[in-house]
Coordinates of all heavy atoms in Angstrom, one line a residue:
D1292 N -185.1 -58.4 38.7 CA -184.8 -59.7 38.1 C -183.8 -60.3 39.0 O -183.5 -59.8 40.0 CB -184.5 -59.7 36.6 CG -183.3 -58.9 36.3 OD1 -182.3 -58.8 37.1 OD2 -183.2 -58.3 35.2
Q1293 N -183.1 -61.4 38.6 CA -182.2 -62.1 39.4 C -180.9 -61.2 39.6 O -180.2 -61.5 40.7 CB -181.7 -63.4 38.7 CG -181.2 -64.4 39.6 CD -181.4 -65.9 39.1 OE1 -181.9 -66.1 38.0 NE2 -180.8 -66.8 39.9
N1294 N -180.6 -60.3 38.8 CA -179.4 -59.6 38.9 C -179.6 -58.1 39.2 O -178.6 -57.3 39.3 CB -178.6 -59.7 37.6 CG -178.2 -61.1 37.3 OD1 -177.8 -61.8 38.3 ND2 -178.5 -61.6 36.1
R1295 N -180.8 -57.6 39.3 CA -181.1 -56.2 39.4 C -182.2 -55.9 40.5 O -183.1 -56.7 40.6 CB -181.4 -55.5 38.2 CG -180.5 -55.7 37.1 CD -179.8 -54.6 36.4 NE -180.1 -53.2 36.6 CZ -179.2 -52.3 36.9 NH1 -177.9 -52.6 37.1 NH2 -179.5 -51.0 37.0
I1296 N -182.0 -54.8 41.2 CA -183.0 -54.4 42.2 C -183.2 -52.9 42.0 O -182.5 -52.2 41.3 CB -182.6 -54.6 43.7 CG1 -181.3 -53.8 43.9 CG2 -182.4 -56.1 44.0 CD1 -180.9 -53.8 45.5
R1297 N -184.4 -52.5 42.5 CA -184.8 -51.1 42.5 C -184.8 -50.7 44.0 O -185.5 -51.3 44.7 CB -186.2 -50.9 41.8 CG -186.6 -49.4 41.8 CD -187.9 -49.2 41.0 NE -187.7 -49.6 39.7 CZ -188.3 -50.6 39.0 NH1 -189.0 -51.5 39.7 NH2 -188.1 -50.9 37.8
V1298 N -184.2 -49.6 44.2 CA -184.2 -49.0 45.6 C -185.1 -47.8 45.5 O -184.9 -46.9 44.7 CB -182.8 -48.6 46.1 CG1 -182.9 -48.0 47.5 CG2 -181.8 -49.8 46.1
V1299 N -186.1 -47.8 46.4 CA -187.1 -46.7 46.3 C -187.2 -46.0 47.7 O -187.3 -46.7 48.7 CB -188.5 -47.4 46.0 CG1 -189.6 -46.3 46.0 CG2 -188.5 -48.2 44.8
Y1300 N -187.1 -44.7 47.6 CA -187.4 -43.9 48.8 C -188.7 -43.1 48.5 O -188.9 -42.6 47.5 CB -186.3 -42.8 49.1 CG -185.1 -43.4 49.7 CD1 -184.7 -44.7 49.7 CD2 -184.1 -42.4 50.3 CE1 -183.5 -45.2 50.2 CE2 -183.0 -42.9 50.9 CZ -182.7 -44.2 50.8 OH -181.5 -44.7 51.3
R1301 N -189.6 -43.1 49.5 CA -190.9 -42.5 49.3 C -191.2 -41.7 50.6 O -191.3 -42.2 51.7 CB -192.0 -43.4 49.0 CG -193.4 -42.8 48.9 CD -194.5 -43.8 48.6 NE -195.7 -43.1 48.6 CZ -196.3 -42.5 47.5 NH1 -195.6 -42.3 46.4 NH2 -197.5 -42.0 47.5
M1302 N -191.5 -40.3 50.5 CA -191.9 -39.5 51.6 C -193.3 -39.2 51.5 O -193.8 -38.7 50.4 CB -191.0 -38.4 51.8 CG -191.5 -37.4 52.8 SD -190.4 -36.1 53.2 CE -189.3 -36.9 54.4
E1303 N -194.1 -39.3 52.6 CA -195.4 -38.7 52.7 C -195.5 -37.8 53.8 O -195.1 -38.2 54.9 CB -196.5 -39.9 52.8 CG -196.5 -40.8 51.6 CD -197.4 -42.0 51.8 OE1 -197.9 -42.2 52.9 OE2 -197.6 -42.7 50.8
I1304 N -196.0 -36.6 53.6 CA -196.2 -35.6 54.6 C -197.7 -35.5 54.9 O -198.4 -35.1 53.9 CB -195.6 -34.2 54.4 CG1 -194.0 -34.5 54.2 CG2 -195.8 -33.3 55.5 CD1 -193.3 -33.2 53.8
T1305 N -198.1 -35.8 56.0 CA -199.6 -35.7 56.4 C -199.7 -34.9 57.6 O -198.8 -34.6 58.4 CB -200.2 -37.1 56.5 OG1 -199.5 -37.8 57.5 CG2 -200.2 -37.9 55.2
G1306 N -201.0 -34.6 57.9 CA -201.3 -33.9 59.2 C -201.9 -32.4 58.9 O -202.1 -32.1 57.8
T1307 N -202.1 -31.7 60.0 CA -202.6 -30.4 60.0 C -201.7 -29.5 59.2 O -200.6 -29.3 59.4 CB -202.8 -29.8 61.4 OG1 -203.5 -30.8 62.1 CG2 -203.5 -28.5 61.3
G1308 N -202.3 -29.0 58.0 CA -201.5 -28.0 57.2 C -200.6 -28.7 56.2 O -199.7 -28.0 55.7
A1309 N -200.6 -30.0 56.1 CA -199.7 -30.7 55.2 C -199.7 -30.3 53.8 O -198.7 -30.2 53.0 CB -199.9 -32.2 55.3
D1310 N -201.0 -29.8 53.3 CA -201.1 -29.4 51.9 C -200.3 -28.1 51.7 O -199.8 -27.9 50.6 CB -202.6 -29.1 51.5 CG -203.3 -30.4 51.5 OD1 -202.7 -31.6 51.3 OD2 -204.6 -30.4 51.6
E1311 N -200.1 -27.3 52.7 CA -199.4 -26.0 52.6 C -197.9 -26.2 53.0 O -197.0 -25.9 52.3 CB -200.0 -25.0 53.5 CG -201.4 -24.4 53.1 CD -202.5 -25.4 53.7 OE1 -202.3 -26.0 54.7 OE2 -203.5 -25.6 52.9
A1312 N -197.7 -26.9 54.1 CA -196.3 -27.1 54.6 C -195.6 -28.1 53.7 O -194.3 -27.9 53.5 CB -196.4 -27.6 56.0
G1313 N -196.2 -29.2 53.2 CA -195.4 -30.1 52.5 C -194.6 -29.6 51.3 O -193.5 -29.9 51.2
P1314 N -195.3 -28.8 50.4 CA -194.6 -28.2 49.3 C -193.5 -27.3 49.7 O -192.5 -27.0 48.9 CB -195.6 -27.5 48.5 CG -196.9 -28.1 48.9 CD -196.7 -28.5 50.3
Q1315 N -193.5 -26.7 50.9 CA -192.5 -25.8 51.4 C -191.3 -26.6 52.0 O -190.2 -26.1 51.7 CB -193.1 -24.9 52.5 CG -194.2 -24.0 52.0 CD -194.9 -23.2 53.1 OE1 -194.5 -23.3 54.3 NE2 -195.8 -22.3 52.8
I1316 N -191.6 -27.6 52.8 CA -190.5 -28.3 53.5 C -190.0 -29.6 52.7 O -188.8 -29.9 52.8 CB -190.7 -28.6 54.9 CG1 -191.9 -29.6 55.0 CG2 -191.0 -27.4 55.7 CD1 -192.2 -30.1 56.4
G1317 N -190.9 -30.3 52.0 CA -190.6 -31.5 51.4 C -189.5 -31.5 50.4 O -188.6 -32.3 50.5
P1318 N -189.5 -30.6 49.4 CA -188.5 -30.5 48.5 C -187.1 -30.3 49.1 O -186.0 -30.9 48.6 CB -188.8 -29.4 47.5 CG -190.3 -29.3 47.6 CD -190.6 -29.7 49.1
G1319 N -187.0 -29.6 50.1 CA -185.6 -29.4 50.8 C -185.2 -30.6 51.4 O -184.0 -31.0 51.5
I1320 N -186.1 -31.4 52.1 CA -185.7 -32.6 52.7 C -185.3 -33.7 51.7 O -184.4 -34.5 51.9 CB -186.9 -33.2 53.5 CG1 -187.2 -32.2 54.7 CG2 -186.7 -34.6 54.1 CD1 -188.5 -32.5 55.3
T1321 N -186.0 -33.8 50.5 CA -185.7 -34.8 49.5 C -184.7 -34.5 48.5 O -184.4 -35.3 47.6 CB -187.1 -35.3 48.9 OG1 -187.7 -34.2 48.3 CG2 -188.0 -35.8 49.9
A1322 N -184.3 -33.3 48.4 CA -183.5 -32.7 47.3 C -182.2 -33.6 47.2 O -181.7 -33.8 46.0 CB -183.0 -31.3 47.6
D1323 N -181.6 -34.1 48.2 CA -180.4 -34.9 48.1 C -180.6 -36.4 47.8 O -179.6 -37.1 47.7 CB -179.6 -34.7 49.4 CG -180.2 -35.4 50.6 OD1 -181.5 -35.4 50.7 OD2 -179.5 -36.1 51.3
W1324 N -181.8 -36.8 47.7 CA -182.1 -38.2 47.5 C -181.4 -38.8 46.4 O -180.8 -39.9 46.4 CB -183.6 -38.5 47.6 CG -184.2 -38.5 48.9 CD1 -183.7 -38.2 50.1 CD2 -185.6 -38.9 49.2 NE1 -184.6 -38.2 51.0 CE2 -185.7 -38.7 50.5 CE3 -186.6 -39.4 48.4 CZ2 -187.0 -39.0 51.2 CZ3 -187.8 -39.7 49.0 CH2 -188.0 -39.5 50.4
P1325 N -181.3 -38.2 45.2 CA -180.7 -38.9 44.0 C -179.2 -39.1 44.3 O -178.7 -40.2 44.1 CB -180.8 -37.8 42.9 CG -182.2 -37.2 43.2 CD -182.1 -37.0 44.7
E1326 N -178.5 -38.1 44.9 CA -177.1 -38.3 45.2 C -176.9 -39.3 46.3 O -176.0 -40.2 46.3 CB -176.4 -36.9 45.6 CG -176.4 -35.9 44.5 CD -177.7 -35.2 44.3 OE1 -178.6 -35.2 45.2 OE2 -177.9 -34.6 43.3
T1327 N -177.6 -39.2 47.3 CA -177.6 -40.1 48.5 C -177.8 -41.6 48.1 O -177.0 -42.5 48.5 CB -178.6 -39.7 49.6 OG1 -178.2 -38.5 50.1 CG2 -178.6 -40.7 50.7
M1328 N -178.9 -41.8 47.3 CA -179.1 -43.2 46.8 C -178.1 -43.7 45.9 O -177.7 -44.9 45.9 CB -180.5 -43.2 46.2 CG -181.6 -42.9 47.2 SD -183.2 -42.6 46.5 CE -183.7 -44.3 46.0
A1329 N -177.5 -42.8 45.1 CA -176.4 -43.2 44.2 C -175.2 -43.6 45.1 O -174.5 -44.7 44.8 CB -176.1 -42.2 43.2
S1330 N -174.9 -42.9 46.1 CA -173.8 -43.2 47.0 C -174.1 -44.5 47.7 O -173.1 -45.4 47.8 CB -173.6 -42.1 48.0 OG -173.1 -40.9 47.4
L1331 N -175.3 -44.8 48.2 CA -175.6 -45.9 48.9 C -175.4 -47.2 47.9 O -174.7 -48.2 48.3 CB -177.1 -45.9 49.2 CG -177.8 -47.2 49.7 CD1 -177.2 -47.6 51.1 CD2 -179.2 -47.1 49.8
A1332 N -175.9 -47.1 46.7 CA -175.7 -48.2 45.7 C -174.3 -48.4 45.4 O -173.9 -49.6 45.3 CB -176.6 -47.8 44.4
E1333 N -173.5 -47.4 45.2 CA -172.1 -47.5 44.9 C -171.3 -48.2 46.0 O -170.6 -49.2 45.8 CB -171.5 -46.1 44.6 CG -170.0 -46.1 44.3 CD -169.5 -44.8 44.1 OE1 -170.2 -43.9 43.6 OE2 -168.2 -44.6 44.5
L1334 N -171.6 -47.8 47.2 CA -171.0 -48.5 48.3 C -171.4 -50.0 48.5 O -170.6 -50.8 48.9 CB -171.3 -47.7 49.6 CG -170.6 -48.2 50.9 CD1 -169.0 -48.1 50.7 CD2 -171.0 -47.2 52.1
A1335 N -172.7 -50.2 48.2 CA -173.2 -51.6 48.3 C -172.6 -52.5 47.2 O -172.5 -53.7 47.4 CB -174.7 -51.6 48.1
L1336 N -172.0 -52.0 46.2 CA -171.4 -52.8 45.2 C -170.0 -53.2 45.5 O -169.4 -54.0 44.8 CB -171.4 -52.0 43.8 CG -172.8 -52.0 43.1 CD1 -172.8 -51.0 41.9 CD2 -173.2 -53.4 42.7

């Protein structure tokens, strides 16, 4: 709305072996997103 935004991060892993590799590497890459995005929003304020 006029006073609020949603910040969205979305990762997609595709390619050869993505169905196997994605669940192995993806969670490690994205694990810090909640803290990182909270820090981003705090600094932006």
